Amino acid sequence: MEAFDTTDDRAFRHEIRAFFRESLPEDVRRTVMTGLPTGREMADRWHKVMLAKGWAAPTWPKEHGGTGWSLKRQYIFEQERVAAWAPGPLIFNIDMVGPLFIRYGTPAQNARFLPRVLSGEDHWCQGFSEPGSGSDLASLKCRAVRKGDRYVINGAKIWQTAVYESDMMFGLFRTDSSGRKQQGISVLVLPLASKGLSLRPILLLDGIERVAQCTFEDVEVPVENLIGEENQGWSIAKYLLTLERLGIAEVGASRACLGRLKTLAGAEIRGNEPLLLEPTLLKEIADVEADLDALEATEYRFLFDPQSNGELGPESSILKIQGTLIRQRLTELTMRVAGPFAQETATDLPSSAPDEARSFAAWATRHYFNFRKISIYGGSNEIQRNIVAKAVLGL
Ligand SMILES: Cc1cc2nc3c(=O)[nH]c(=O)nc-3n(C[C@H](O)[C@H](O)[C@H](O)COP(=O)(O)OP(=O)(O)OC[C@H]3O[C@@H](n4cnc5c(N)ncnc54)[C@H](O)[C@@H]3O)c2cc1C
């Protein structure tokens, strides 16, 4: 959507582009391109670079250490970041728990937690889902009982992403069962090293990423770690979901993937001509590109329509559904184009200079398996379709 850039936007875009070109370490870029997780050391190293530049929290207000950028600038930054294959901000710190504190934290909580959220000294993970409470999140049962100046937690959480690289968890806990299920939920924050908290790893389909099931046995959390009011956690959880505005469609990531896919298919000779010219494949690539163009235009319209005020409502579900389907289709096409190279797993690749085709094939294989998750987490696509049916179409 560069076509809609103003002169100011264009200058800003070039500043961002130049920064990534000059400051993104080559090993970090290659790791992102190859699709391997950056891991804590690399994530911290890159986060420090962004901190020094003042861009570690692109969506935060200035008074809390953010950039104070307009929505348009955040959008441009995200496009350029993805195109440069730079890692995103620490997602749970910057996109979730930071805004949570900024909106609901007391001054004492913000003084204690926020600087470490921004600096990345603590990494955070999200403890919402439970065995039996995913789509129907409000039915959660992990119980926090108040005893004097502490809550005592018993129960389980599941699917915690990045938990093995994290220090802290923000979670939803049941503090009252007497009313409707949406009532009686509270937000607590706690160290993962808390006594009585144990983790059982779950290896994802790609064979690399690990999430976990967390078991709480009499885990004690001081009452000062309650965020917002007791039993008001459901509205806080809903607020966090409204923050998923920018980037939910992941257009930039799909665009970068599509570009690499075309390069790879253009370079691969099957028979006497480039694979890209094989009619069935060419049609499928053209179809996905047309759908991506339409998605980008729709996202732009939702975000920057003067009447929407940058507030995405239930329409964001449309972006999530289409965005995840396109990303999954692209990994499938890349697997086909990569052919035998797709059998290389990312971990089998030598760290020294894998060529573009092999590195992309490894990316595709890992993401083909890993991206099964993207139409499940953050509210599955079936749930998003229910939202579109009810809240957008009024069915
Ligand atoms: C890799 C991964 C990482 C995750 N990371 C986190 C994390 O960091 N923190 C966290 O708290 N959670 C996390 N989650 C949990 C995620 O949010 C849930 O898995 C998701 O909400 C679905 O819940 P569920 O797994 O219990 O499936 P269920 O809710 O049991 O759903 C099973 C199937 O039924 C369908 N379904 C359910 N209800 C309906 C309905 N009303 N109408 C139509 N279809 C329906 C679903 O779409 C799905 O296909 C993660 C999940 C995965 C897979």
Side-chain angles (χ1 to χ4, degrees), residues 71 297-311:
L71 192 60
T298 307
E299 179 187 52
Y300 195 88
R301 185 162 52 85
F302 284 166
L303 284 172
F304 300 112
D305 180 333
Q307 285 173 359
S308 78
N309 208 14
E311 298 291 332

Side-chain angles (χ1 to χ4, degrees), residues 92 126-129 133-136 158-161 204 211 373 376-380 382-383 386:
F92 294 110
Q126 179 192 27
F128 281 16
S129 304
S133 299
S135 301
D136 184 13
I158 194 165
W159 301 118
Q160 276 58 59
T161 298
L204 298 190
V211 298
K373 73 184 181 189
I376 300 173
Y377 66 23
S380 72
E382 288 76 25
I383 296 299
N386 286 349

